[in-house]
Amino acid sequence: MRSLRGADSDLIDEALVLRFDAEKSFTGEATVELQTHGSVAVIRDVLDILSTIPGFRLAEPGEFTRRALENGNLDLSQVEGLADLIDAETRDQRQQALRVFSGELGRKVAEWRKDLVRASALIELSLDFSEEDIPDDIAEEIAGLLGEVHEALSREIEGTHAAERIRDGFTVAIIGAPNAGKSTLLNRLAGREAAITSEIAGTTRDVIEVRMNIGGLPVMLLDTAGLRETHDEIEALGVQRAVQRATAADLRIFLMSDADEAFPIDALDGDLRLWSKADLNPQRVPGISGFSGTGVADMLAEVESTLRARIVPSTAAVNHRHRTALIRGRDGLDSVLERIKEGESAPEISAELVRAVIIDLESLIGSVDVETLYDEIFSSFCLGK
């Protein structure tokens, strides 16, 4: 501990002062940390004093992380993982962000790059042979290397959609006829009066959203307008919006009131169909009641199980930028593999296509010119981080 004093020697705070050599710091530069008590007065006085020292200024948003990137302490995907970690609200978001921040995507890119460089070198080597004289083992190794990377990219792309859902949240829509108990169920799940409940049919006109943590998964629950034919123009707009949002949701919970009830939305695999108001009709199973809580725990467990089954745990690519680069890389390999399959001449073109794939994959971790991405990525960080 050290005493921090101002110009007049007045004591400002007792703080922990840490010095990091360049090779040991987060940014890759020699750094000093002042770990003060967190009061507004202490922080203000410390910053005021530091700002009077020539060459000292407040860091810009994300500047420390940007310096870590520029100094080679982090790659671009790790920067994105850190941003996601800062914003994480649930266990699964935290675990996914840590996986990216640990450099998992960078390690995968390094493995893919190694195989592609090997394949490119073998293609270049085949230039020394006539088309008929290319050794079979070289041709087989080229096809094998490219095929393995292609399969790996396809698996990664497949998992990015669920990874984005973990990052941004799944959407679950509660739908049913007017007075089916949708708003009461939403309030029960939210633990507060998020939606107005009434015995008057058609009370909910717009879509009401509530963010929840279900078993570590981020979920946006939607309470929608009761589905029915209506001549009320405002209610009809609410029904139309309910159908649109429910159709686009990751999962739907159908609250049934009548055995002959028809919904304007088809149930998909994983959707839940539950009898509403189980407290009044206990003989109907599976049933649920937002009023009494009957069946709520079972419903939440089934929602978590269904959503978790859609997650690919090995995925390290988690956002739209990652998916776009992976798709470009896979499409490039499609072209190369098609040329090889059809026995196309001009292997130098195939070699150039492989090099283009390498560049697409290196853009994932910032090994090529991605300056245009930096401002957007770092603007989401807090001051100084």
Side-chain angles (χ1 to χ4, degrees):
M1 298 293 290
R2 292 290 185 269
S3 297
L4 302 183
R5 297 182 181 274
D8 54 5
S9 296
D10 283 349
L11 180 66
I12 297 174
D13 194 14
E14 295 288 340
L16 180 62
V17 180
L18 303 175
R19 178 182 178 277
F20 296 90
D21 294 332
E23 63 273 12
K24 298 292 182 65
S25 74
F26 174 75
T27 63
E29 302 168 342
T31 307
V32 174
E33 286 189 6
L34 305 178
Q35 297 189 8
T36 67
H37 295 93
S39 74
V40 174
V42 168
I43 294 173
R44 183 185 62 240
D45 287 347
V46 170
L47 291 178
D48 286 346
I49 293 170
L50 291 176
S51 65
T52 65
I53 302 175
F56 279 47
R57 62 170 175 81
L58 284 174
E60 298 294 331
E63 184 171 355
F64 277 66
T65 305
R66 183 163 186 160
R67 291 188 180 207
L69 172 66
E70 292 171 344
N71 292 325
N73 278 18
L74 298 176
D75 65 40
L76 190 58
S77 67
Q78 288 178 288
V79 169
E80 293 169 310
L82 178 56
D84 289 345
L85 181 60
I86 292 171
D87 293 335
E89 297 177 344
T90 70
R91 182 189 66 242
D92 283 76
Q93 286 177 323
R94 172 180 58 79
Q95 291 175 340
Q96 177 171 282
L98 281 171
R99 193 163 61 246
V100 180
F101 182 50
S102 72
E104 182 175 332
L105 184 56
R107 290 189 290 273
K108 288 187 175 183
V109 169
E111 287 296 317
W112 299 332
R113 184 184 185 282
K114 181 181 70 175
D115 288 345
L116 292 175
V117 167
R118 170 70 177 169
S120 180
L122 290 174
I123 293 173
E124 294 279 6
L125 179 63
S126 69
L127 291 171
D128 297 331
F129 298 90
S130 66
E131 188 173 342
E132 297 78 14
D133 295 334
I134 297 176
D136 291 339
D137 57 342
I138 291 181
E140 290 175 4
E141 185 175 356
I142 292 172
L145 289 168
L146 297 180
E148 288 177 7
V149 176
H150 186 279
E151 290 180 10
L153 296 185
S154 297
R155 289 194 300 270
E156 204 72 24
I157 292 166
E158 182 183 355
T160 56
H161 296 283
E164 271 196 285
R165 286 293 183 266
I166 293 177
R167 183 172 179 264
D168 301 327
F170 292 92
T171 303
V172 176
I174 305 172
I175 57 178
N179 270 350
K182 300 182 298 299
S183 296
T184 302
L185 176 59
L186 181 79
N187 289 342
R188 163 73 65 168
L189 296 171
R192 58 185 175 87
E193 294 295 317
I196 298 173
T197 59
S198 168
E199 293 182 0
I200 301 174
T203 301
T204 301
R205 300 295 184 94
D206 205 349
V207 177
I208 299 173
E209 301 177 344
V210 171
R211 290 188 65 85
M212 282 192 65
N213 178 344
I214 299 181
L217 296 174
V219 173
M220 178 71 76
L221 280 171
L222 307 180
D223 175 24
T224 59
L227 303 178
R228 68 172 178 178
E229 295 289 337
T230 177
H231 298 293
D232 184 309
E233 183 178 352
I234 302 300
E235 185 181 357
L237 287 173
V239 172
Q240 180 182 0
R241 183 170 297 182
V243 171
Q244 291 172 342
R245 294 294 300 275
T247 301
D250 298 294
L251 190 67
R252 284 147 293 277
I253 300 173
F254 291 82
L255 296 189
M256 302 179 295
S257 303
D258 190 283
D260 298 325
E261 189 172 8
F263 291 93
I265 306 170
D266 293 330
L268 302 177
D269 288 343
D271 287 349
L272 280 63
R273 297 178 66 90
L274 305 171
W275 290 105
S276 64
K277 301 184 179 180
D279 53 317
L280 302 179
N281 301 287
Q283 73 281 4
R284 289 180 165 180
V285 291
I288 193 165
S289 169
F291 180 76
S292 68
T294 301
V296 169
D298 291 338
M299 183 204 74
L300 289 175
E302 192 165 353
V303 168
E304 179 191 353
S305 175
T306 301
L307 296 179
R308 197 168 290 285
R310 301 177 184 180
I311 297 172
V312 181
S314 61
T315 298
V318 299
N319 60 41
H320 179 74
R321 186 184 75 83
H322 297 166
R323 182 167 62 250
T324 300
L326 290 168
I327 290 174
R328 285 201 307 266
R330 184 184 63 180
D331 290 348
L333 289 180
D334 281 335
S335 298
V336 180
L337 289 168
E338 186 64 25
R339 290 179 60 84
I340 293 174
K341 180 180 178 181
E342 295 181 0
E344 297 247 358
S345 57
E348 64 274 11
I349 296 178
S350 295
E352 187 59 35
L353 288 172
V354 173
R355 282 192 288 270
V357 172
I358 293 173
I359 292 174
D360 287 330
L361 297 181
E362 287 182 335
S363 71
L364 286 167
I365 57 175
S367 295
V368 294
D369 182 17
V370 289
E371 185 68 28
T372 54
L373 295 170
Y374 284 4
D375 289 339
E376 179 182 350
I377 291 173
F378 289 111
S379 64
S380 66
F381 281 78
C382 56
L383 288 175
K385 185 59 183 176

